[in-house]
Amino acid sequence: MDSYMQDSLLNAYVADLGLSISISNRAKHGVFGILPYIAPEVLNGKQFTTKSDIYSFSIIMWEILYGTTVSYIHKLNEIDLQLQICDSLRPPVNKEAPRCYVNLMKECWDKDPEKRPSAGKLCEIFKKWQDNEDIYLS
């Protein structure tokens, strides 16, 4: 990770690295992005919202937890994979992962965008975790 993506206390930051395009450049009904990060509602043709970003963040949470990128190892074509993601396909989670982290990650990738937490709520939760080393043991 580049030094500008961490502060002096080694806190990491998630940033848009310019791999996406601006909303103004999108086609009205087009879907853009890397498939595992695209929220199910967007794949279903609904409007992209901040809740869609929360879904994408949940995939980043999974990648941070396991130290690898999400790869659905299915012999599916892209359309079938999209349908399975819309029908709740998510990356696997092992039992050794910290429950509080896993529960939050699953809340963020909920099929229903209204059940996902806001970015503000995520910041509150992460701040609380940062101040409590024992939180990861539960």
Side-chain angles (χ1 to χ4, degrees), residues 1-3 10 16 30 35 73 83 89 94 134:
M1 181 173 279
D2 293 329
S3 62
L10 301 181
D16 182 346
L35 191 54
I73 306 173
L83 292 171
L89 175 67
N94 66 33
D134 295 330

Side-chain angles (χ1 to χ4, degrees), residues 34-84:
I34 300 169
L35 191 54
Y37 301 88
I38 303 172
E41 67 274 11
V42 175
L43 292 174
N44 278 329
K46 296 206 170 125
Q47 181 70 30
F48 181 89
T49 67
T50 56
K51 294 291 188 170
S52 308
D53 279 336
I54 299 299
Y55 177 88
S56 300
F57 181 71
S58 72
I59 301 302
I60 294 169
M61 288 179 71
W62 186 93
E63 292 175 340
I64 291 168
L65 183 61
Y66 293 104
T68 189
T69 58
V70 170
S71 175
Y72 295 110
I73 306 173
H74 296 287
K75 296 185 183 215
L76 300 172
N77 63 42
E78 193 169 296
I79 299 298
D80 289 337
L81 181 55
Q82 287 181 23
L83 292 171
Q84 287 200 15

